[in-house]
Amino acid sequence: MLNPDSVGRTFHGAEEVTVTQSQINDFCAVLSENDTTVAPPTFSIRITLEQSQEILSNPEIGLDWTRVVHGDQRFEIKRPIVANDCLKCSSTIESYKVSDGNEFVVIRSDLHAADQLVVSTWSTLVVRG
Amino acid sequence: MTTVGTALDEKVFYLDRAMLKAYADVSGDQNPIHQNEEFAKAVGLPNVIAHGMLTMALVGKYVTDFAGGSEQVKEFSGRFMKPVVVPVDQKVDLTVSGNIVAVDGNQITLELSATSAGVKVFAMSQAVIIK
């Protein structure tokens, strides 16, 4: 079970992540997207998922990552990600509820380039009971 | 036509194990349920399943194709309803459809959904684009 004290807490990623053109090219290639000047709308998940996994694996938070399935996903894109962006991630556990023995955790992750918000994402993770 | 109620042309994407491996590599999500049949079945899945975020990325491609580029997409959301099951040596479909639910100046809201093998896999999905 998730530690209820975790709800509302914001965790900051340890370091900046620099996006490379080759990462954008590779992501586009899987989708047969020819325009590689900006990252596709869901590209940021490769940064936020890793960061939120790291946060949620913290034993103090108490989430059993092996039983997690992805429920919902939302992106608010202030501007597209481009090569050489240095992005810093912060994640907040926005809400938590238990329903029918399953846990529902909503994690908001913000990516900033310097002081500019680039993208906000919300992931609902379902921990199967 | 960009008027409310307009249905967009349906598009079919095809997924196979090679695409799942490629997506694992570009996304960093190397969970074995997306690559290893034995592992997937051991945890109660019917077979290897696609990453939910690969499904969403392909629906995103449908959106950006309509919008005229990735930079036109302002919001994108959806719910993973059922897994996309990808048996070995097969290509499975991801059939995406959408329609226009709101128009405000140059801002268009799309409602989207996707099926695979006739099963609804992605729904309650909206995208806000500038066109």
Side-chain angles (χ1 to χ4, degrees), chain B residues 39-96:
Chain B
F39 184 91
K41 288 179 172 169
V43 297
L45 294 166
N47 206 320
V48 163
I49 62 169
H51 306 73
M53 285 309 303
L54 171 58
T55 299
M56 190 165 183
L58 291 168
V59 177
K61 174 71 165 76
Y62 178 86
V63 171
T64 56
D65 282 350
F66 174 75
S70 295
E71 65 275 19
Q72 309 304 113
V73 181
K74 302 299 166 194
E75 290 175 36
F76 184 30
S77 63
R79 175 168 294 175
F80 305 103
M81 310 295 286
K82 294 276 181 197
V84 175
V85 180
V86 185
V88 71
D89 294 333
Q90 282 187 37
K91 285 190 181 296
V92 302
D93 74 298
L94 182 77
T95 303
V96 185

Side-chain angles (χ1 to χ4, degrees), chain A residues 56-90:
Chain A
L56 290 176
S57 299
N58 179 341
E60 184 191 327
I61 292 168
L63 195 83
D64 182 355
W65 189 257
T66 63
R67 290 180 299 133
V68 165
V69 293
H70 202 164
D72 292 62
Q73 181 63 38
R74 180 153 73 95
F75 297 87
E76 275 185 22
I77 301 161
K78 305 299 176 194
R79 69 153 173 86
I81 291 173
V82 293
N84 300 319
D85 270 341
C86 290
L87 300 171
K88 196 138 178 126
C89 180
S90 62

Side-chain angles (χ1 to χ4, degrees), chain A:
Chain A
M1 296 289 281
L2 192 90
N3 177 353
D5 294 343
S6 304
V7 179
R9 283 181 65 187
T10 298
F11 301 83
H12 296 277
E15 52 202 66
E16 281 185 346
V17 177
T18 303
V19 176
T20 67
Q21 186 62 53
S22 113
Q23 288 169 346
I24 293 176
N25 294 349
D26 291 349
F27 199 93
C28 286
V30 176
L31 306 177
S32 303
E33 172 61 68
N34 297 321
D35 177 11
T36 57
T37 55
V38 303
T42 64
F43 176 86
S44 57
I45 200 77
R46 64 167 283 150
I47 300 165
T48 58
L49 185 76
E50 191 188 323
Q51 297 269 338
S52 61
Q53 265 190 22
E54 212 171 282
I55 289 166
L56 290 176
S57 299
N58 179 341
E60 184 191 327
I61 292 168
L63 195 83
D64 182 355
W65 189 257
T66 63
R67 290 180 299 133
V68 165
V69 293
H70 202 164
D72 292 62
Q73 181 63 38
R74 180 153 73 95
F75 297 87
E76 275 185 22
I77 301 161
K78 305 299 176 194
R79 69 153 173 86
I81 291 173
V82 293
N84 300 319
D85 270 341
C86 290
L87 300 171
K88 196 138 178 126
C89 180
S90 62
S91 297
T92 305
I93 300 175
E94 275 206 342
S95 74
Y96 174 70
K97 67 172 182 180
V98 180
S99 174
D100 289 333
N102 297 316
E103 298 170 72
F104 294 80
V105 187
V106 178
I107 301 168
R108 174 192 175 145
S109 296
D110 291 331
L111 289 177
H112 284 86
D115 288 336
Q116 182 194 28
L117 179 61
V118 177
V119 57
S120 295
T121 70
W122 287 261
S123 304
T124 304
L125 303 176
V126 184
V127 189
R128 290 176 295 161

Side-chain angles (χ1 to χ4, degrees), chain B residues 17 31-42 47-48:
Chain B
R17 291 281 181 88
N31 189 326
I33 61 172
H34 307 303
Q35 295 185 51
N36 181 330
E37 185 162 337
E38 212 174 313
F39 184 91
K41 288 179 172 169
N47 206 320
V48 163

